Amino acid sequence: PFNPITKINYEISEFGLVNISIYDLNGRLINTLINENLNPGNYYSLWKGINNNGNFVSSGIYITVLKLGTNKQQIGKMVLLK
């Protein structure tokens, strides 16, 4: 659980296009945090509980999807409590 900001840590093992997106439980895209080529290494991204329009989202469960290229994907769950 987090409020109002959460830190998403991730590690990239090879150079490639990295995309980190937040979805609600209905599968709607809420926010895209990262969509860029990155070198191998450890990184983090902050999500402040806002959507792509800059509006705060409601309390609830959100899904984090990290994609590296087209072959690798990792999914996580987080809970926003207000």
Side-chain angles (χ1 to χ4, degrees):
F2 73 96
N3 178 10
I5 298 172
T6 188
K7 184 177 180 181
I8 301 167
N9 296 301
Y10 58 99
E11 181 178 351
I12 303 300
S13 60
E14 59 191 55
F15 177 81
L17 179 62
V18 175
N19 178 284
I20 299 178
S21 296
I22 310 295
Y23 294 87
D24 66 15
L25 288 179
N26 293 317
R28 291 182 295 236
L29 177 65
I30 300 299
N31 199 326
T32 300
L33 302 179
I34 300 287
N35 190 32
E36 61 186 81
N37 287 306
L38 294 177
N39 289 312
N42 294 308
Y43 297 90
Y44 72 90
S45 184
L46 297 176
W47 185 46
K48 299 177 182 178
I50 59 172
N51 62 22
N52 278 331
N53 296 323
N55 300 316
F56 288 98
V57 299
S58 60
S59 295
I61 299 171
Y62 293 90
I63 306 299
T64 306
V65 179
L66 184 150
K67 294 180 183 177
L68 175 58
T70 58
N71 299 324
K72 297 181 181 179
Q73 179 173 294
Q74 184 173 350
I75 299 172
K77 180 174 68 171
M78 53 190 171
V79 178
L80 171 59
L81 297 176
K82 291 188 177 184

Coordinates of all heavy atoms in Angstrom, one line a residue:
P1 N 0.8 -1.2 0.0 CA 0.0 0.0 0.0 C 0.9 1.3 0.0 O 1.9 1.3 0.6 CB -0.8 -0.1 1.3 CG -0.7 -1.5 1.7 CD 0.5 -2.1 1.1
F2 N 0.4 2.3 -0.6 CA 1.1 3.6 -0.6 C 0.1 4.7 -0.6 O -1.0 4.6 -1.0 CB 2.0 3.6 -1.9 CG 1.3 3.9 -3.2 CD1 1.2 5.1 -3.7 CD2 0.7 2.8 -3.9 CE1 0.5 5.4 -4.9 CE2 0.1 3.0 -5.1 CZ 0.0 4.3 -5.6
N3 N 0.7 5.9 -0.2 CA 0.0 7.1 -0.2 C 1.0 8.2 0.1 O 1.6 8.2 1.1 CB -1.2 7.1 0.8 CG -1.9 8.5 0.8 OD1 -1.7 9.3 0.0 ND2 -2.8 8.6 1.8
P4 N 1.2 9.2 -0.7 CA 0.6 9.5 -2.0 C 1.5 9.1 -3.2 O 1.1 9.2 -4.3 CB 0.4 11.0 -2.0 CG 1.6 11.5 -1.2 CD 1.8 10.4 -0.1
I5 N 2.7 8.6 -2.8 CA 3.7 8.3 -3.9 C 4.3 6.9 -3.7 O 4.5 6.5 -2.5 CB 4.9 9.4 -3.9 CG1 4.3 10.8 -4.2 CG2 5.9 9.0 -4.9 CD1 5.4 11.8 -4.0
T6 N 4.5 6.2 -4.8 CA 5.2 4.9 -4.7 C 6.4 4.9 -5.6 O 6.4 5.5 -6.6 CB 4.2 3.7 -5.0 OG1 4.9 2.5 -4.7 CG2 3.8 3.7 -6.4
K7 N 7.4 4.2 -5.1 CA 8.7 4.1 -5.9 C 8.7 2.7 -6.5 O 8.6 1.7 -5.8 CB 9.9 4.3 -4.9 CG 11.2 4.2 -5.6 CD 12.3 4.5 -4.6 CE 13.7 4.5 -5.2 NZ 14.7 4.8 -4.1
I8 N 8.9 2.6 -7.8 CA 8.9 1.3 -8.5 C 10.3 1.1 -8.9 O 10.9 1.8 -9.8 CB 8.0 1.4 -9.7 CG1 6.5 1.7 -9.3 CG2 8.1 0.0 -10.5 CD1 5.6 2.0 -10.4
N9 N 11.0 0.1 -8.3 CA 12.4 -0.3 -8.6 C 12.4 -1.4 -9.6 O 11.5 -2.3 -9.6 CB 13.1 -0.8 -7.3 CG 13.2 0.3 -6.3 OD1 13.8 1.3 -6.5 ND2 12.6 0.0 -5.1
Y10 N 13.3 -1.3 -10.6 CA 13.5 -2.3 -11.6 C 14.9 -2.4 -12.1 O 15.7 -1.4 -12.0 CB 12.5 -2.1 -12.7 CG 12.6 -0.8 -13.4 CD1 13.3 -0.6 -14.6 CD2 12.0 0.4 -12.9 CE1 13.4 0.6 -15.3 CE2 12.1 1.6 -13.6 CZ 12.8 1.7 -14.7 OH 12.9 2.9 -15.4
E11 N 15.2 -3.6 -12.6 CA 16.5 -3.8 -13.1 C 16.4 -4.3 -14.6 O 15.6 -5.1 -14.9 CB 17.2 -4.9 -12.3 CG 18.6 -5.2 -12.8 CD 19.3 -6.3 -12.0 OE1 18.8 -6.7 -10.9 OE2 20.4 -6.7 -12.4
I12 N 17.3 -3.7 -15.4 CA 17.3 -4.0 -16.9 C 18.6 -4.8 -17.1 O 19.7 -4.3 -16.8 CB 17.2 -2.7 -17.7 CG1 16.0 -1.9 -17.4 CG2 17.3 -3.1 -19.2 CD1 14.7 -2.6 -17.6
S13 N 18.5 -6.0 -17.7 CA 19.6 -6.8 -18.0 C 20.3 -6.6 -19.3 O 21.4 -7.0 -19.6 CB 19.3 -8.3 -17.8 OG 18.2 -8.6 -18.7
E14 N 19.5 -5.9 -20.3 CA 20.1 -5.7 -21.6 C 19.5 -4.4 -22.2 O 18.4 -4.0 -21.7 CB 19.7 -6.9 -22.5 CG 18.2 -7.1 -22.6 CD 17.8 -8.4 -23.3 OE1 18.3 -9.4 -22.9 OE2 17.1 -8.3 -24.3
F15 N 20.2 -3.8 -23.1 CA 19.7 -2.6 -23.7 C 18.4 -2.9 -24.4 O 18.3 -3.9 -25.1 CB 20.8 -2.0 -24.7 CG 20.3 -0.8 -25.4 CD1 20.4 0.4 -24.8 CD2 19.8 -0.9 -26.7 CE1 19.9 1.6 -25.5 CE2 19.3 0.2 -27.4 CZ 19.4 1.5 -26.8
G16 N 17.5 -2.0 -24.3 CA 16.2 -2.1 -25.0 C 15.2 -1.1 -24.7 O 15.4 -0.3 -23.8
L17 N 14.1 -1.2 -25.4 CA 13.0 -0.3 -25.1 C 12.2 -0.8 -23.8 O 11.8 -1.9 -23.8 CB 12.0 -0.3 -26.3 CG 10.7 0.6 -26.1 CD1 11.1 2.0 -26.0 CD2 9.8 0.4 -27.3
V18 N 12.1 0.1 -22.9 CA 11.5 -0.2 -21.6 C 10.2 0.6 -21.5 O 10.2 1.8 -21.8 CB 12.4 0.2 -20.4 CG1 11.7 0.0 -19.1 CG2 13.7 -0.6 -20.5
N19 N 9.1 -0.1 -21.2 CA 7.8 0.6 -21.0 C 7.3 0.2 -19.6 O 7.2 -1.0 -19.4 CB 6.9 0.2 -22.1 CG 5.5 0.8 -21.9 OD1 4.7 0.4 -21.1 ND2 5.2 1.8 -22.7
I20 N 6.9 1.2 -18.8 CA 6.3 0.9 -17.6 C 4.9 1.6 -17.6 O 4.9 2.9 -17.7 CB 7.1 1.4 -16.3 CG1 8.4 0.6 -16.3 CG2 6.3 1.2 -15.1 CD1 9.3 1.1 -15.2
S21 N 3.8 0.9 -17.5 CA 2.5 1.4 -17.5 C 1.7 1.0 -16.3 O 1.9 -0.1 -15.8 CB 1.8 1.0 -18.8 OG 2.5 1.5 -20.0
I22 N 0.8 1.8 -15.9 CA -0.1 1.5 -14.8 C -1.5 1.3 -15.4 O -2.0 2.2 -16.2 CB -0.2 2.7 -13.8 CG1 1.2 3.1 -13.4 CG2 -1.1 2.4 -12.6 CD1 2.0 2.1 -12.6
Y23 N -2.2 0.3 -15.0 CA -3.6 -0.1 -15.4 C -4.5 -0.2 -14.2 O -4.0 -0.6 -13.1 CB -3.6 -1.4 -16.2 CG -2.8 -1.3 -17.5 CD1 -1.4 -1.6 -17.5 CD2 -3.5 -1.0 -18.7 CE1 -0.7 -1.5 -18.7 CE2 -2.8 -0.9 -19.9 CZ -1.4 -1.2 -19.9 OH -0.7 -1.1 -21.1
D24 N -5.8 0.0 -14.4 CA -6.7 -0.3 -13.4 C -7.2 -1.7 -13.5 O -6.7 -2.4 -14.5 CB -7.9 0.7 -13.4 CG -8.8 0.6 -14.6 OD1 -8.7 -0.3 -15.4 OD2 -9.6 1.6 -14.8
L25 N -8.0 -2.2 -12.6 CA -8.4 -3.6 -12.7 C -9.3 -3.9 -13.9 O -9.5 -5.1 -14.2 CB -9.1 -4.0 -11.4 CG -8.2 -4.1 -10.2 CD1 -9.0 -4.5 -8.9 CD2 -7.1 -5.1 -10.4
N26 N -9.8 -2.9 -14.6 CA -10.6 -3.1 -15.8 C -9.8 -3.2 -17.0 O -10.3 -3.3 -18.1 CB -11.7 -2.1 -15.9 CG -12.7 -2.2 -14.8 OD1 -13.2 -3.3 -14.5 ND2 -13.1 -1.1 -14.3
G27 N -8.4 -3.0 -16.8 CA -7.5 -3.1 -18.0 C -7.3 -1.8 -18.7 O -6.7 -1.7 -19.7
R28 N -7.9 -0.7 -18.1 CA -7.7 0.6 -18.7 C -6.4 1.2 -18.4 O -6.0 1.2 -17.2 CB -8.8 1.6 -18.3 CG -10.2 1.2 -18.8 CD -11.2 2.3 -18.4 NE -11.3 2.2 -16.9 CZ -12.5 2.0 -16.3 NH1 -13.6 1.9 -16.9 NH2 -12.5 2.0 -14.9
L29 N -5.7 1.8 -19.4 CA -4.4 2.4 -19.2 C -4.6 3.7 -18.3 O -5.4 4.6 -18.7 CB -3.7 2.8 -20.5 CG -2.4 3.6 -20.4 CD1 -1.3 2.7 -19.7 CD2 -2.0 4.0 -21.8
I30 N -3.9 3.8 -17.2 CA -4.0 4.9 -16.3 C -2.9 5.9 -16.6 O -3.1 7.1 -16.7 CB -4.0 4.5 -14.8 CG1 -5.2 3.6 -14.5 CG2 -4.0 5.7 -13.9 CD1 -6.6 4.2 -14.8
N31 N -1.7 5.4 -16.7 CA -0.5 6.3 -16.8 C 0.7 5.5 -17.4 O 0.8 4.3 -17.1 CB -0.1 6.9 -15.5 CG 0.8 8.1 -15.6 OD1 1.6 8.2 -16.6 ND2 0.6 9.0 -14.7
T32 N 1.4 6.1 -18.3 CA 2.7 5.5 -18.8 C 3.8 6.3 -18.1 O 4.0 7.5 -18.3 CB 2.8 5.6 -20.3 OG1 1.7 5.0 -20.9 CG2 4.1 5.1 -20.9
L33 N 4.6 5.6 -17.3 CA 5.7 6.2 -16.6 C 7.0 6.3 -17.4 O 7.7 7.3 -17.3 CB 5.9 5.5 -15.3 CG 4.7 5.3 -14.3 CD1 5.1 4.5 -13.1 CD2 4.2 6.7 -14.0
I34 N 7.3 5.2 -18.1 CA 8.5 5.2 -18.9 C 8.2 4.6 -20.2 O 7.5 3.6 -20.3 CB 9.6 4.3 -18.2 CG1 9.9 4.8 -16.8 CG2 10.8 4.1 -19.0 CD1 10.8 6.1 -16.8
N35 N 8.8 5.1 -21.3 CA 8.7 4.5 -22.6 C 9.9 5.0 -23.4 O 9.8 5.9 -24.2 CB 7.4 4.9 -23.3 CG 7.2 4.1 -24.6 OD1 7.6 2.9 -24.7 ND2 6.6 4.7 -25.6
E36 N 11.1 4.4 -23.1 CA 12.3 4.8 -23.7 C 13.4 3.7 -23.7 O 13.2 2.7 -22.9 CB 12.9 6.1 -23.0 CG 13.2 5.8 -21.5 CD 13.6 7.1 -20.8 OE1 12.7 7.9 -20.4 OE2 14.8 7.3 -20.6
N37 N 14.4 3.9 -24.5 CA 15.5 2.9 -24.5 C 16.4 3.2 -23.3 O 16.8 4.3 -23.1 CB 16.3 3.1 -25.8 CG 15.6 2.5 -27.0 OD1 15.1 1.4 -27.0 ND2 15.4 3.3 -28.0
L38 N 16.7 2.1 -22.6 CA 17.6 2.2 -21.5 C 18.7 1.2 -21.6 O 18.6 0.1 -22.1 CB 16.8 1.9 -20.2 CG 15.7 3.0 -19.8 CD1 15.0 2.5 -18.6 CD2 16.3 4.3 -19.6
N39 N 19.9 1.5 -21.0 CA 21.0 0.6 -20.9 C 20.8 -0.3 -19.7 O 20.0 0.0 -18.8 CB 22.3 1.4 -20.7 CG 22.7 2.2 -22.0 OD1 22.7 1.6 -23.0 ND2 23.0 3.5 -21.8
P40 N 21.5 -1.4 -19.6 CA 21.4 -2.3 -18.5 C 21.8 -1.5 -17.2 O 22.6 -0.6 -17.2 CB 22.5 -3.3 -18.7 CG 22.7 -3.3 -20.2 CD 22.5 -1.9 -20.6
G41 N 21.1 -1.9 -16.1 CA 21.3 -1.2 -14.8 C 20.1 -1.2 -13.9 O 19.0 -1.8 -14.3
N42 N 20.2 -0.6 -12.8 CA 19.1 -0.5 -11.8 C 18.5 0.9 -11.9 O 19.2 1.9 -12.0 CB 19.7 -0.7 -10.4 CG 20.1 -2.1 -10.2 OD1 19.4 -3.1 -10.5 ND2 21.4 -2.3 -9.7
Y43 N 17.2 0.9 -11.9 CA 16.5 2.2 -12.1 C 15.3 2.2 -11.1 O 14.9 1.2 -10.5 CB 15.9 2.3 -13.5 CG 16.9 2.3 -14.6 CD1 17.4 1.2 -15.2 CD2 17.4 3.5 -15.0 CE1 18.4 1.2 -16.2 CE2 18.4 3.6 -16.0 CZ 18.9 2.4 -16.6 OH 19.8 2.5 -17.6
Y44 N 14.6 3.4 -11.0 CA 13.4 3.5 -10.3 C 12.5 4.5 -11.0 O 13.0 5.4 -11.7 CB 13.6 3.8 -8.8 CG 14.0 5.1 -8.5 CD1 13.1 6.2 -8.3 CD2 15.4 5.4 -8.4 CE1 13.5 7.5 -8.0 CE2 15.8 6.7 -8.1 CZ 14.9 7.7 -7.9 OH 15.3 9.0 -7.6
S45 N 11.3 4.4 -10.8 CA 10.3 5.4 -11.3 C 9.3 5.7 -10.2 O 9.0 4.8 -9.4 CB 9.6 4.8 -12.5 OG 8.7 5.8 -13.1
L46 N 8.9 6.9 -10.1 CA 7.9 7.3 -9.1 C 6.5 7.5 -9.7 O 6.4 8.0 -10.8 CB 8.3 8.7 -8.5 CG 9.6 8.7 -7.7 CD1 9.9 10.1 -7.2 CD2 9.6 7.7 -6.5
W47 N 5.5 7.0 -9.0 CA 4.1 7.2 -9.5 C 3.4 8.0 -8.4 O 3.4 7.5 -7.2 CB 3.4 5.9 -9.8 CG 2.0 6.2 -10.4 CD1 1.7 7.1 -11.3 CD2 0.8 5.6 -10.0 NE1 0.3 7.1 -11.6 CE2 -0.2 6.2 -10.7 CE3 0.5 4.6 -9.1 CZ2 -1.6 5.8 -10.6 CZ3 -0.8 4.2 -8.9 CH2 -1.8 4.8 -9.7
K48 N 2.9 9.1 -8.7 CA 2.2 10.0 -7.7 C 0.7 9.8 -7.7 O 0.0 10.7 -7.2 CB 2.6 11.4 -8.0 CG 4.1 11.7 -7.9 CD 4.4 13.1 -8.3 CE 5.9 13.3 -8.3 NZ 6.3 14.7 -8.7
G49 N 0.2 8.7 -8.2 CA -1.2 8.5 -8.2 C -2.0 9.3 -9.1 O -3.2 9.7 -8.8
I50 N -1.4 9.7 -10.2 CA -2.1 10.5 -11.2 C -2.2 9.8 -12.5 O -1.4 8.9 -12.8 CB -1.4 11.9 -11.4 CG1 0.0 11.7 -11.9 CG2 -1.4 12.7 -10.2 CD1 0.7 13.0 -12.3
N51 N -3.2 10.2 -13.3 CA -3.4 9.5 -14.6 C -2.7 10.3 -15.7 O -2.0 11.3 -15.4 CB -4.9 9.4 -14.9 CG -5.6 10.7 -15.0 OD1 -5.1 11.8 -15.2 ND2 -6.9 10.6 -14.8
N52 N -2.8 9.9 -17.0 CA -2.1 10.6 -18.1 C -2.6 12.0 -18.3 O -1.9 12.8 -18.9 CB -2.3 9.8 -19.4 CG -1.3 8.6 -19.5 OD1 -0.2 8.7 -18.9 ND2 -1.7 7.6 -20.2
N53 N -3.8 12.4 -17.7 CA -4.3 13.7 -17.9 C -3.9 14.6 -16.7 O -4.2 15.8 -16.7 CB -5.8 13.7 -17.9 CG -6.3 13.0 -19.2 OD1 -5.7 13.1 -20.2 ND2 -7.4 12.2 -19.0
G54 N -3.1 14.1 -15.7 CA -2.6 14.9 -14.6 C -3.6 14.9 -13.4 O -3.4 15.7 -12.5
N55 N -4.7 14.1 -13.5 CA -5.7 14.1 -12.4 C -5.4 13.0 -11.4 O -4.9 11.9 -11.8 CB -7.1 13.9 -13.0 CG -7.5 14.9 -13.9 OD1 -7.3 16.1 -13.7 ND2 -8.0 14.6 -15.1
F56 N -5.6 13.2 -10.2 CA -5.4 12.2 -9.2 C -6.5 11.1 -9.3 O -7.6 11.3 -9.6 CB -5.5 12.8 -7.7 CG -4.3 13.6 -7.4 CD1 -4.4 15.0 -7.5 CD2 -3.2 13.0 -6.9 CE1 -3.3 15.8 -7.1 CE2 -2.1 13.8 -6.6 CZ -2.1 15.1 -6.7
V57 N -6.0 9.8 -9.2 CA -6.9 8.7 -9.3 C -7.5 8.3 -7.9 O -7.0 8.8 -6.9 CB -6.2 7.5 -9.9 CG1 -5.7 7.8 -11.3 CG2 -5.0 7.0 -9.1
S58 N -8.5 7.5 -7.9 CA -9.1 7.1 -6.7 C -8.4 6.0 -6.0 O -7.5 5.3 -6.6 CB -10.6 6.7 -6.9 OG -10.6 5.6 -7.8
S59 N -8.7 5.8 -4.7 CA -8.1 4.7 -4.0 C -8.5 3.4 -4.7 O -9.5 3.3 -5.3 CB -8.6 4.6 -2.6 OG -8.2 5.7 -1.9
G60 N -7.6 2.4 -4.6 CA -7.9 1.1 -5.2 C -6.6 0.3 -5.6 O -5.5 0.7 -5.3
I61 N -6.8 -0.8 -6.3 CA -5.8 -1.6 -6.7 C -5.4 -1.3 -8.2 O -6.3 -1.1 -9.0 CB -6.2 -3.1 -6.6 CG1 -6.5 -3.5 -5.2 CG2 -5.1 -4.0 -7.2 CD1 -7.2 -4.8 -5.0
Y62 N -4.1 -1.2 -8.4 CA -3.6 -0.9 -9.8 C -2.5 -1.9 -10.1 O -1.8 -2.4 -9.3 CB -3.0 0.5 -9.8 CG -4.1 1.6 -9.6 CD1 -4.5 2.0 -8.3 CD2 -4.8 2.1 -10.7 CE1 -5.5 2.9 -8.2 CE2 -5.8 3.0 -10.5 CZ -6.2 3.4 -9.3 OH -7.2 4.3 -9.1
I63 N -2.4 -2.1 -11.4 CA -1.5 -3.1 -12.0 C -0.3 -2.4 -12.7 O -0.6 -1.5 -13.5 CB -2.2 -4.1 -13.0 CG1 -3.4 -4.7 -12.3 CG2 -1.2 -5.1 -13.5 CD1 -3.1 -5.6 -11.1
T64 N 0.9 -2.8 -12.3 CA 2.1 -2.2 -13.0 C 2.6 -3.3 -14.0 O 2.8 -4.4 -13.6 CB 3.2 -2.0 -12.0 OG1 2.7 -1.1 -10.9 CG2 4.4 -1.3 -12.6
V65 N 2.8 -2.8 -15.2 CA 3.3 -3.7 -16.3 C 4.6 -3.1 -16.8 O 4.7 -2.0 -17.3 CB 2.3 -3.9 -17.4 CG1 2.9 -4.8 -18.5 CG2 1.0 -4.4 -16.9
L66 N 5.7 -3.9 -16.6 CA 7.0 -3.5 -17.1 C 7.3 -4.4 -18.3 O 7.3 -5.6 -18.2 CB 8.1 -3.7 -16.0 CG 9.5 -3.2 -16.4 CD1 10.2 -2.8 -15.2 CD2 10.3 -4.3 -17.1
K67 N 7.6 -3.8 -19.4 CA 8.0 -4.5 -20.7 C 9.3 -4.1 -21.1 O 9.7 -2.9 -21.1 CB 7.0 -4.2 -21.8 CG 5.6 -4.7 -21.5 CD 4.7 -4.4 -22.7 CE 3.2 -4.8 -22.4 NZ 2.3 -4.4 -23.5
L68 N 10.1 -5.1 -21.5 CA 11.5 -4.9 -22.1 C 11.4 -5.5 -23.5 O 11.3 -6.7 -23.6 CB 12.6 -5.5 -21.3 CG 14.0 -5.5 -21.9 CD1 14.4 -4.0 -22.1 CD2 15.0 -6.2 -21.0
G69 N 11.4 -4.6 -24.5 CA 11.3 -5.1 -25.9 C 10.0 -5.7 -26.1 O 8.9 -5.3 -25.5
T70 N 9.9 -6.8 -26.9 CA 8.7 -7.5 -27.1 C 8.6 -8.8 -26.5 O 7.6 -9.5 -26.5 CB 8.5 -7.7 -28.7 OG1 9.6 -8.4 -29.2 CG2 8.4 -6.3 -29.4
N71 N 9.7 -9.3 -25.8 CA 9.8 -10.6 -25.3 C 9.7 -10.7 -23.8 O 9.3 -11.8 -23.3 CB 11.1 -11.3 -25.7 CG 11.3 -11.4 -27.2 OD1 10.3 -11.6 -27.9 ND2 12.5 -11.2 -27.7
K72 N 9.9 -9.7 -23.0 CA 10.0 -9.8 -21.6 C 8.9 -8.9 -20.9 O 8.8 -7.7 -21.3 CB 11.4 -9.5 -21.0 CG 12.4 -10.5 -21.5 CD 13.8 -10.1 -20.9 CE 14.8 -11.1 -21.4 NZ 16.1 -10.8 -20.9
Q73 N 8.2 -9.4 -20.0 CA 7.2 -8.7 -19.3 C 7.1 -9.1 -17.8 O 7.2 -10.3 -17.5 CB 5.9 -8.9 -20.0 CG 4.7 -8.2 -19.3 CD 3.4 -8.3 -20.1 OE1 3.4 -7.8 -21.2 NE2 2.4 -9.0 -19.6
Q74 N 6.9 -8.1 -16.9 CA 6.8 -8.4 -15.5 C 5.6 -7.6 -15.0 O 5.4 -6.4 -15.4 CB 8.0 -8.0 -14.7 CG 7.9 -8.3 -13.3 CD 9.3 -8.1 -12.6 OE1 10.3 -7.8 -13.2 NE2 9.2 -8.2 -11.2
I75 N 4.7 -8.2 -14.2 CA 3.5 -7.6 -13.7 C 3.5 -7.6 -12.2 O 3.9 -8.5 -11.6 CB 2.3 -8.4 -14.2 CG1 2.3 -8.4 -15.8 CG2 1.0 -7.8 -13.7 CD1 1.2 -9.3 -16.4
G76 N 3.1 -6.4 -11.7 CA 3.0 -6.3 -10.2 C 1.7 -5.6 -9.8 O 1.0 -5.1 -10.7
K77 N 1.4 -5.7 -8.6 CA 0.1 -5.1 -8.1 C 0.5 -4.1 -7.0 O 1.4 -4.4 -6.2 CB -0.8 -6.2 -7.5 CG -2.1 -5.8 -7.0 CD -3.0 -6.9 -6.6 CE -2.5 -7.7 -5.4 NZ -3.4 -8.7 -4.9
M78 N -0.3 -3.0 -6.9 CA -0.1 -2.0 -5.8 C -1.4 -1.5 -5.4 O -2.4 -1.5 -6.2 CB 0.9 -0.9 -6.2 CG 0.5 -0.2 -7.5 SD 1.9 0.8 -8.0 CE 1.4 1.3 -9.6
V79 N -1.5 -1.0 -4.2 CA -2.7 -0.5 -3.6 C -2.6 0.9 -3.2 O -1.7 1.2 -2.4 CB -3.2 -1.4 -2.4 CG1 -4.4 -0.8 -1.8 CG2 -3.3 -2.8 -2.8
L80 N -3.4 1.8 -3.7 CA -3.4 3.2 -3.4 C -4.4 3.4 -2.3 O -5.6 3.1 -2.5 CB -3.7 4.1 -4.6 CG -3.9 5.6 -4.3 CD1 -2.7 6.2 -3.7 CD2 -4.2 6.3 -5.6
L81 N -4.0 3.9 -1.1 CA -4.9 4.2 0.0 C -4.9 5.7 0.3 O -3.8 6.2 0.4 CB -4.5 3.4 1.3 CG -4.5 1.9 1.2 CD1 -4.0 1.3 2.5 CD2 -5.9 1.4 1.0
K82 N -6.0 6.3 0.3 CA -6.1 7.7 0.6 C -6.7 7.9 2.0 O -7.4 7.2 2.5 CB -6.9 8.4 -0.4 CG -6.2 8.4 -1.8 CD -6.9 9.3 -2.7 CE -6.2 9.3 -4.1 NZ -6.8 10.2 -5.0

